[in-house]
Coordinates of all heavy atoms in Angstrom, one line a residue:
M167 N 75.2 98.5 105.9 CA 76.3 97.9 105.3 C 75.7 96.7 104.5 O 74.9 96.0 104.9 CB 77.3 97.4 106.3 CG 78.4 96.5 105.7 SD 79.6 95.9 106.8 CE 78.7 94.7 107.7
R168 N 76.3 96.5 103.4 CA 76.0 95.4 102.5 C 77.2 94.5 102.4 O 78.3 95.0 102.1 CB 75.6 95.9 101.2 CG 75.0 94.9 100.2 CD 74.5 95.5 99.0 NE 74.0 94.5 98.1 CZ 73.4 94.8 97.0 NH1 73.1 96.0 96.6 NH2 73.0 93.8 96.2
L169 N 77.1 93.2 102.7 CA 78.2 92.3 102.7 C 77.8 91.2 101.7 O 76.9 90.4 102.0 CB 78.5 91.7 104.1 CG 79.7 90.9 104.3 CD1 81.0 91.7 104.0 CD2 79.8 90.4 105.7
E170 N 78.4 91.1 100.5 CA 78.1 90.1 99.5 C 79.3 89.3 99.1 O 80.3 89.9 98.9 CB 77.5 90.8 98.3 CG 76.1 91.3 98.5 CD 75.5 91.8 97.2 OE1 76.2 91.8 96.1 OE2 74.3 92.1 97.2
R171 N 79.1 88.0 98.8 CA 80.1 87.2 98.2 C 80.1 87.5 96.7 O 79.1 87.4 96.1 CB 79.9 85.7 98.5 CG 81.1 84.9 98.0 CD 81.0 83.5 98.5 NE 80.9 83.3 99.9 CZ 82.0 83.3 100.7 NH1 83.2 83.5 100.1 NH2 81.9 83.1 102.0
H172 N 81.3 87.8 96.2 CA 81.5 88.1 94.8 C 82.1 86.9 94.1 O 83.1 86.4 94.6 CB 82.3 89.3 94.6 CG 81.6 90.5 95.0 ND1 80.8 91.3 94.2 CD2 81.5 91.2 96.2 CE1 80.2 92.3 94.8 NE2 80.6 92.2 96.1
Q173 N 81.5 86.5 93.0 CA 82.0 85.3 92.3 C 83.5 85.4 91.9 O 84.3 84.5 92.0 CB 81.2 85.1 91.0 CG 80.2 83.9 91.2 CD 79.5 83.7 89.8 OE1 79.4 84.5 89.0 NE2 79.1 82.5 89.7
E174 N 83.9 86.6 91.3 CA 85.2 86.8 90.8 C 86.3 86.7 91.9 O 87.3 86.0 91.7 CB 85.3 88.1 90.1 CG 86.7 88.3 89.5 CD 86.8 89.6 88.8 OE1 85.8 90.4 88.6 OE2 88.0 89.9 88.4
T175 N 86.0 87.2 93.1 CA 87.0 87.2 94.2 C 86.8 86.1 95.1 O 87.7 85.7 95.8 CB 86.9 88.5 95.0 OG1 85.6 88.6 95.6 CG2 87.1 89.8 94.1
G176 N 85.6 85.5 95.2 CA 85.3 84.5 96.2 C 85.2 85.0 97.6 O 85.1 84.3 98.6
L177 N 85.3 86.3 97.8 CA 85.3 87.0 99.1 C 84.0 87.8 99.3 O 83.3 88.1 98.4 CB 86.4 88.0 99.2 CG 87.8 87.4 99.0 CD1 88.9 88.5 98.9 CD2 88.2 86.4 100.1
K178 N 83.7 88.0 100.6 CA 82.6 88.9 101.0 C 83.2 90.3 101.1 O 84.1 90.5 101.9 CB 81.9 88.4 102.2 CG 81.1 87.2 102.1 CD 80.4 86.8 103.4 CE 79.7 85.5 103.2 NZ 79.0 85.1 104.4
L179 N 82.7 91.2 100.3 CA 83.2 92.6 100.3 C 82.1 93.5 101.0 O 81.0 93.5 100.5 CB 83.5 93.1 98.9 CG 84.5 92.3 98.2 CD1 84.7 92.8 96.7 CD2 85.9 92.3 98.9
A180 N 82.5 94.2 102.0 CA 81.6 95.2 102.7 C 81.5 96.4 101.9 O 82.6 96.9 101.4 CB 82.1 95.4 104.1
R181 N 80.3 97.0 101.7 CA 80.2 98.3 101.0 C 79.0 99.0 101.6 O 78.0 98.4 102.1 CB 80.1 98.1 99.5 CG 78.8 97.6 99.0 CD 78.8 97.8 97.5 NE 77.5 97.7 97.0 CZ 77.0 96.7 96.2 NH1 77.8 95.8 95.8 NH2 75.8 96.7 95.8
W182 N 79.0 100.3 101.4 CA 78.0 101.2 101.8 C 77.8 102.2 100.7 O 78.7 102.7 100.0 CB 78.4 102.0 103.0 CG 78.8 101.2 104.2 CD1 78.0 100.9 105.3 CD2 80.1 100.5 104.4 NE1 78.7 100.1 106.2 CE2 80.0 99.8 105.7 CE3 81.2 100.4 103.7 CZ2 81.0 99.1 106.2 CZ3 82.3 99.7 104.2 CH2 82.1 99.0 105.5
T183 N 76.5 102.6 100.4 CA 76.2 103.6 99.4 C 75.3 104.6 100.0 O 74.3 104.3 100.7 CB 75.5 102.9 98.2 OG1 76.4 101.9 97.6 CG2 75.1 103.9 97.1
F184 N 75.6 105.9 99.6 CA 74.8 107.0 100.1 C 74.4 107.9 99.0 O 75.2 108.1 98.0 CB 75.7 107.9 101.1 CG 76.4 107.1 102.2 CD1 77.6 106.5 102.0 CD2 75.8 107.0 103.4 CE1 78.2 105.8 103.0 CE2 76.3 106.3 104.4 CZ 77.6 105.7 104.2
G185 N 73.2 108.5 99.1 CA 72.8 109.5 98.1 C 72.3 108.9 96.8 O 72.3 107.6 96.6
Q186 N 72.0 109.8 95.9 CA 71.5 109.4 94.5 C 72.2 110.3 93.5 O 72.5 111.4 93.8 CB 70.0 109.5 94.4 CG 69.3 108.5 95.3 CD 67.8 108.6 95.1 OE1 67.3 109.2 94.2 NE2 67.0 108.0 96.0
G187 N 72.3 109.8 92.3 CA 72.9 110.6 91.2 C 74.1 109.9 90.7 O 74.3 108.7 90.9
P188 N 74.9 110.6 89.9 CA 76.1 110.0 89.3 C 77.0 109.4 90.4 O 77.1 110.0 91.5 CB 76.8 111.1 88.6 CG 75.8 112.2 88.4 CD 74.8 112.0 89.5
R189 N 77.5 108.2 90.2 CA 78.2 107.5 91.3 C 79.7 107.8 91.4 O 80.4 107.9 90.4 CB 78.0 106.0 91.1 CG 78.6 105.2 92.3 CD 78.3 103.8 92.3 NE 76.9 103.5 91.9 CZ 75.9 103.3 92.8 NH1 76.2 103.4 94.1 NH2 74.7 103.0 92.4
V190 N 80.1 108.0 92.6 CA 81.5 108.1 92.9 C 81.9 106.9 93.8 O 81.2 106.6 94.8 CB 81.9 109.4 93.7 CG1 83.3 109.4 94.2 CG2 81.5 110.6 92.9
V191 N 82.9 106.1 93.4 CA 83.3 105.0 94.2 C 84.6 105.3 94.9 O 85.6 105.7 94.2 CB 83.5 103.7 93.3 CG1 84.0 102.5 94.2 CG2 82.1 103.4 92.7
F192 N 84.7 105.2 96.2 CA 85.9 105.5 97.0 C 86.6 104.2 97.4 O 86.0 103.3 98.0 CB 85.4 106.2 98.3 CG 86.5 106.6 99.2 CD1 87.2 107.8 99.0 CD2 86.9 105.8 100.2 CE1 88.2 108.2 99.8 CE2 88.0 106.2 101.0 CZ 88.6 107.4 100.8
A193 N 87.9 104.1 96.9 CA 88.7 103.0 97.3 C 89.7 103.5 98.3 O 90.5 104.5 98.0 CB 89.4 102.4 96.1
H194 N 89.8 102.9 99.5 CA 90.6 103.4 100.6 C 92.1 103.0 100.3 O 92.4 102.2 99.4 CB 90.2 102.8 101.9 CG 90.2 101.4 102.0 ND1 91.4 100.7 102.2 CD2 89.2 100.4 101.9 CE1 91.1 99.4 102.3 NE2 89.8 99.2 102.1
G195 N 93.0 103.6 101.1 CA 94.4 103.3 101.0 C 94.8 102.0 101.8 O 93.9 101.3 102.4
W196 N 96.0 101.7 101.7 CA 96.5 100.4 102.3 C 96.4 100.5 103.8 O 96.6 101.6 104.4 CB 98.0 100.3 102.0 CG 98.3 98.9 101.5 CD1 99.1 98.0 102.2 CD2 97.8 98.2 100.4 NE1 99.1 96.8 101.5 CE2 98.3 96.9 100.4 CE3 96.9 98.6 99.4 CZ2 98.0 95.9 99.5 CZ3 96.6 97.6 98.4 CH2 97.1 96.3 98.5
N197 N 96.1 99.4 104.5 CA 95.9 99.3 105.9 C 94.8 100.2 106.4 O 94.9 100.8 107.5 CB 97.2 99.5 106.7 CG 98.2 98.4 106.4 OD1 97.8 97.2 106.3 ND2 99.4 98.7 106.4
S198 N 93.8 100.4 105.6 CA 92.7 101.4 106.0 C 91.4 100.6 105.8 O 91.3 99.4 105.8 CB 92.8 102.6 105.0 OG 91.9 103.6 105.5
R199 N 90.3 101.4 105.7 CA 89.0 100.8 105.5 C 88.1 101.9 104.8 O 88.4 103.1 104.9 CB 88.4 100.3 106.8 CG 88.2 101.4 107.8 CD 87.8 100.9 109.2 NE 86.7 99.9 109.1 CZ 86.6 98.8 109.9 NH1 87.4 98.6 110.8 NH2 85.6 98.0 109.7
G200 N 87.0 101.4 104.2 CA 86.1 102.4 103.5 C 85.6 103.5 104.4 O 85.4 104.6 103.9
A201 N 85.3 103.2 105.7 CA 84.8 104.2 106.6 C 85.7 105.4 106.7 O 85.2 106.5 107.1 CB 84.5 103.6 107.9
H202 N 87.0 105.3 106.4 CA 87.9 106.4 106.5 C 87.6 107.5 105.4 O 88.1 108.6 105.4 CB 89.3 106.0 106.4 CG 89.8 105.3 107.7 ND1 90.9 104.5 107.7 CD2 89.2 105.2 108.9 CE1 91.0 104.0 108.9 NE2 90.0 104.4 109.7
G203 N 86.7 107.1 104.4 CA 86.3 108.0 103.4 C 85.0 108.8 103.7 O 84.5 109.5 102.9
L204 N 84.4 108.5 104.9 CA 83.1 109.2 105.3 C 83.2 110.7 105.2 O 82.1 111.3 105.0 CB 82.7 108.7 106.7 CG 82.2 107.3 106.8 CD1 82.0 106.8 108.2 CD2 80.9 107.1 106.0
G205 N 84.3 111.3 105.4 CA 84.4 112.7 105.3 C 84.1 113.3 103.9 O 83.7 114.5 103.8
F206 N 84.2 112.5 102.9 CA 83.9 112.9 101.6 C 82.4 112.7 101.2 O 82.0 113.3 100.2 CB 84.7 112.0 100.6 CG 86.2 112.3 100.7 CD1 87.0 111.4 101.4 CD2 86.8 113.3 100.0 CE1 88.4 111.6 101.5 CE2 88.2 113.6 100.1 CZ 89.0 112.7 100.8
V207 N 81.7 111.9 102.0 CA 80.3 111.6 101.6 C 79.4 112.8 101.6 O 78.8 113.0 100.6 CB 79.8 110.5 102.6 CG1 78.3 110.2 102.3 CG2 80.6 109.2 102.3
S208 N 79.3 113.5 102.7 CA 78.3 114.6 102.8 C 78.5 115.7 101.7 O 77.6 116.0 101.0 CB 78.4 115.3 104.1 OG 77.8 114.4 105.1
P209 N 79.8 116.1 101.5 CA 79.9 117.1 100.4 C 79.6 116.6 99.0 O 79.0 117.3 98.2 CB 81.4 117.5 100.5 CG 81.9 117.1 101.8 CD 81.0 115.9 102.2
L210 N 79.9 115.3 98.8 CA 79.5 114.8 97.4 C 78.0 114.5 97.3 O 77.5 114.8 96.2 CB 80.3 113.5 97.2 CG 81.8 113.7 97.0 CD1 82.5 112.3 97.1 CD2 82.0 114.3 95.6
V211 N 77.4 114.0 98.3 CA 75.9 113.8 98.3 C 75.2 115.2 98.2 O 74.3 115.3 97.4 CB 75.4 113.1 99.5 CG1 73.9 113.1 99.6 CG2 75.9 111.6 99.5
D212 N 75.7 116.2 98.9 CA 75.1 117.5 98.8 C 75.3 118.1 97.4 O 74.5 118.9 96.9 CB 75.8 118.5 99.8 CG 75.4 118.2 101.2 OD1 74.4 117.4 101.4 OD2 76.1 118.7 102.2
A213 N 76.3 117.7 96.7 CA 76.6 118.1 95.3 C 75.8 117.3 94.3 O 76.0 117.5 93.1 CB 78.1 118.1 95.0
G214 N 75.0 116.3 94.7 CA 74.2 115.6 93.8 C 74.7 114.2 93.4 O 74.2 113.6 92.4
F215 N 75.7 113.7 94.1 CA 76.3 112.5 93.7 C 75.9 111.3 94.6 O 75.4 111.6 95.8 CB 77.9 112.5 93.8 CG 78.5 113.4 92.7 CD1 78.7 114.8 93.0 CD2 78.8 112.9 91.5 CE1 79.3 115.6 92.1 CE2 79.3 113.8 90.5 CZ 79.6 115.1 90.8
S216 N 76.0 110.1 94.2 CA 75.9 108.9 95.0 C 77.3 108.4 95.3 O 78.2 108.5 94.4 CB 75.1 107.8 94.2 OG 75.2 106.6 94.8
V217 N 77.5 108.1 96.5 CA 78.9 107.7 96.9 C 78.9 106.3 97.5 O 78.1 105.9 98.3 CB 79.4 108.6 98.1 CG1 80.8 108.3 98.4 CG2 79.4 110.1 97.6
T218 N 79.8 105.4 97.0 CA 79.9 104.1 97.5 C 81.3 103.9 98.1 O 82.3 104.2 97.4 CB 79.7 103.0 96.3 OG1 78.4 103.1 95.9 CG2 80.0 101.6 96.8
L219 N 81.3 103.5 99.3 CA 82.6 103.2 100.0 C 82.6 101.6 100.1 O 81.6 101.0 100.3 CB 82.6 103.8 101.4 CG 82.3 105.2 101.6 CD1 82.2 105.6 103.1 CD2 83.3 106.1 100.9
F220 N 83.8 101.0 100.1 CA 83.9 99.6 100.3 C 85.2 99.3 100.9 O 86.2 100.0 100.9 CB 83.7 98.8 99.0 CG 84.8 98.8 98.0 CD1 85.7 97.8 97.9 CD2 85.1 99.9 97.2 CE1 86.8 97.8 97.0 CE2 86.1 100.0 96.3 CZ 87.0 98.9 96.2
D221 N 85.3 98.1 101.6 CA 86.5 97.6 102.2 C 87.2 96.6 101.3 O 86.5 95.7 100.8 CB 86.2 96.9 103.5 CG 85.7 97.8 104.6 OD1 85.9 99.0 104.5 OD2 85.1 97.3 105.6
L222 N 88.4 96.8 101.0 CA 89.2 95.9 100.2 C 89.3 94.6 100.9 O 89.1 94.5 102.1 CB 90.6 96.5 100.0 CG 90.7 97.7 99.0 CD1 92.1 98.3 99.1 CD2 90.3 97.3 97.6
P223 N 89.7 93.5 100.2 CA 89.8 92.2 100.8 C 90.8 92.3 102.0 O 91.9 92.9 101.8 CB 90.4 91.3 99.7 CG 89.9 92.0 98.4 CD 89.9 93.4 98.7
G224 N 90.5 91.6 103.1 CA 91.4 91.6 104.2 C 91.4 92.9 105.0 O 92.3 93.0 105.9
H225 N 90.5 93.8 104.7 CA 90.5 95.1 105.4 C 89.1 95.3 105.9 O 88.1 94.8 105.4 CB 90.8 96.2 104.4 CG 92.2 96.3 103.9 ND1 92.6 95.4 102.9 CD2 93.2 97.1 104.3 CE1 93.9 95.7 102.7 NE2 94.3 96.7 103.5
G226 N 89.0 96.0 107.0 CA 87.7 96.4 107.6 C 86.8 95.2 107.8 O 87.2 94.2 108.4
D227 N 85.6 95.2 107.3 CA 84.6 94.2 107.4 C 84.6 93.2 106.3 O 83.7 92.3 106.3 CB 83.2 94.8 107.6 CG 83.0 95.6 108.9 OD1 83.5 95.1 109.9 OD2 82.4 96.7 108.8
S228 N 85.4 93.3 105.3 CA 85.5 92.4 104.2 C 86.3 91.1 104.6 O 87.2 91.2 105.5 CB 86.2 93.0 103.0 OG 85.3 93.9 102.4
T229 N 86.0 90.0 104.0 CA 86.7 88.8 104.3 C 88.1 88.7 103.5 O 88.3 89.5 102.6 CB 85.9 87.5 104.0 OG1 85.6 87.5 102.6 CG2 84.6 87.5 104.8
G230 N 88.9 87.8 103.9 CA 90.2 87.6 103.2 C 91.3 87.8 104.1 O 91.2 88.5 105.1
H231 N 92.4 87.2 103.8 CA 93.6 87.3 104.7 C 94.8 88.0 103.9 O 95.8 88.3 104.6 CB 94.1 85.9 105.1 CG 93.0 85.2 105.9 ND1 92.7 85.6 107.2 CD2 92.2 84.2 105.6 CE1 91.8 84.8 107.7 NE2 91.4 84.0 106.8
A232 N 94.6 88.1 102.6 CA 95.7 88.8 101.9 C 95.2 89.8 100.9 O 94.0 89.7 100.5 CB 96.5 87.7 101.1
C233 N 95.9 90.8 100.6 CA 95.5 91.8 99.7 C 96.8 92.3 99.0 O 97.7 92.7 99.6 CB 94.7 92.9 100.3 SG 93.9 94.0 99.1
S234 N 96.7 92.3 97.7 CA 97.8 92.9 96.9 C 97.1 93.9 95.9 O 95.9 94.0 95.9 CB 98.5 91.8 96.1 OG 97.6 91.3 95.1
V235 N 97.9 94.5 95.1 CA 97.3 95.4 94.0 C 96.4 94.6 93.1 O 95.3 95.0 92.7 CB 98.4 96.1 93.2 CG1 97.9 96.8 92.0 CG2 99.2 97.0 94.1
V236 N 96.7 93.3 92.9 CA 95.9 92.4 92.0 C 94.5 92.2 92.8 O 93.5 92.3 92.2 CB 96.6 91.1 91.7 CG1 95.6 90.2 91.0 CG2 97.8 91.4 90.8
H237 N 94.6 91.8 94.1 CA 93.4 91.6 94.8 C 92.5 92.8 94.9 O 91.3 92.7 94.7 CB 93.7 91.2 96.3 CG 94.4 89.8 96.4 ND1 95.7 89.7 96.6 CD2 93.9 88.6 96.3 CE1 96.1 88.5 96.7 NE2 95.0 87.7 96.5
A238 N 93.1 94.0 95.1 CA 92.4 95.2 95.2 C 91.7 95.5 93.8 O 90.5 95.9 93.8 CB 93.3 96.4 95.6
G239 N 92.4 95.3 92.7 CA 91.8 95.6 91.4 C 90.7 94.7 91.1 O 89.6 95.1 90.6
R240 N 90.8 93.4 91.5 CA 89.7 92.5 91.3 C 88.5 92.8 92.1 O 87.3 92.7 91.7 CB 90.1 91.0 91.6 CG 91.1 90.5 90.6 CD 91.5 89.1 91.0 NE 92.4 88.5 90.0 CZ 93.3 87.6 90.2 NH1 93.4 87.1 91.4 NH2 94.1 87.2 89.3
A241 N 88.7 93.3 93.4 CA 87.7 93.7 94.3 C 86.9 94.9 93.7 O 85.7 94.9 93.7 CB 88.2 94.0 95.7
L242 N 87.7 95.9 93.2 CA 87.1 97.1 92.7 C 86.3 96.7 91.4 O 85.1 97.2 91.3 CB 88.2 98.1 92.3 CG 87.7 99.4 91.6 CD1 86.7 100.1 92.5 CD2 88.9 100.3 91.3
R243 N 86.8 95.8 90.6 CA 86.1 95.4 89.4 C 84.8 94.7 89.8 O 83.7 94.9 89.2 CB 86.9 94.5 88.5 CG 86.3 94.2 87.2 CD 87.2 93.5 86.2 NE 87.9 92.4 86.8 CZ 88.9 91.8 86.2 NH1 89.4 92.2 85.1 NH2 89.5 90.7 86.8
A244 N 84.8 93.9 90.8 CA 83.6 93.1 91.3 C 82.6 94.1 91.8 O 81.4 93.9 91.5 CB 84.0 92.1 92.3
V245 N 83.0 95.1 92.6 CA 82.0 96.1 93.2 C 81.4 96.9 92.0 O 80.2 97.1 92.0 CB 82.7 97.0 94.2 CG1 81.9 98.2 94.5 CG2 83.1 96.2 95.4
L246 N 82.2 97.3 91.1 CA 81.7 98.1 89.9 C 80.7 97.3 89.1 O 79.7 97.8 88.7 CB 82.8 98.6 89.1 CG 83.7 99.7 89.7 CD1 84.9 100.0 88.8 CD2 83.0 100.9 90.1
A247 N 81.0 96.0 88.9 CA 80.1 95.1 88.1 C 78.8 95.0 88.8 O 77.8 94.9 88.2 CB 80.8 93.8 87.9
D248 N 78.8 94.9 90.1 CA 77.6 94.7 90.9 C 76.8 96.0 90.9 O 75.6 95.9 91.1 CB 78.0 94.3 92.3 CG 76.8 93.8 93.1 OD1 76.0 93.0 92.5 OD2 76.6 94.2 94.3
L249 N 77.4 97.1 90.8 CA 76.7 98.4 90.8 C 76.0 98.7 89.5 O 75.1 99.4 89.3 CB 77.6 99.6 91.2 CG 78.2 99.5 92.6 CD1 79.3 100.6 92.7 CD2 77.2 99.6 93.6

């Protein structure tokens, strides 16, 4: 797991990356966490993709106490910019 503070969000966002190749970024649903997407990892890695899972703010291992569509969008943009 990689836990980094992102300037744009001011939060530490947990993320995991598997495999190599064109990247697929998995954003989990509400009241969930990135680990719930692990079932997608093996088939995508076997197909030649790199898969990144991450926890939205206030979810899983990421910091934060609130999350809205705006927070989620900013977090996704921060993770993509870092990749």
Side-chain angles (χ1 to χ4, degrees):
M167 174 179 69
R168 188 172 175 174
L169 190 63
E170 285 191 356
R171 184 171 300 278
H172 291 271
Q173 256 186 336
E174 181 178 354
T175 65
L177 301 170
K178 290 183 180 178
L179 301 175
R181 79 167 194 244
W182 302 261
T183 298
F184 306 89
Q186 295 181 13
R189 186 171 316 265
V190 174
V191 177
F192 180 87
H194 63 78
W196 226 245
N197 293 324
S198 189
R199 62 187 314 142
H202 289 164
L204 285 171
F206 294 97
V207 172
S208 290
L210 288 167
V211 169
D212 291 346
F215 292 94
S216 171
V217 182
T218 296
L219 310 173
F220 74 102
D221 291 340
L222 290 170
H225 293 77
D227 293 319
S228 290
T229 62
H231 298 288
C233 191
S234 68
V235 172
V236 173
H237 293 103
R240 288 179 182 156
L242 177 58
R243 186 168 54 189
V245 168
L246 293 174
D248 194 45
L249 296 174

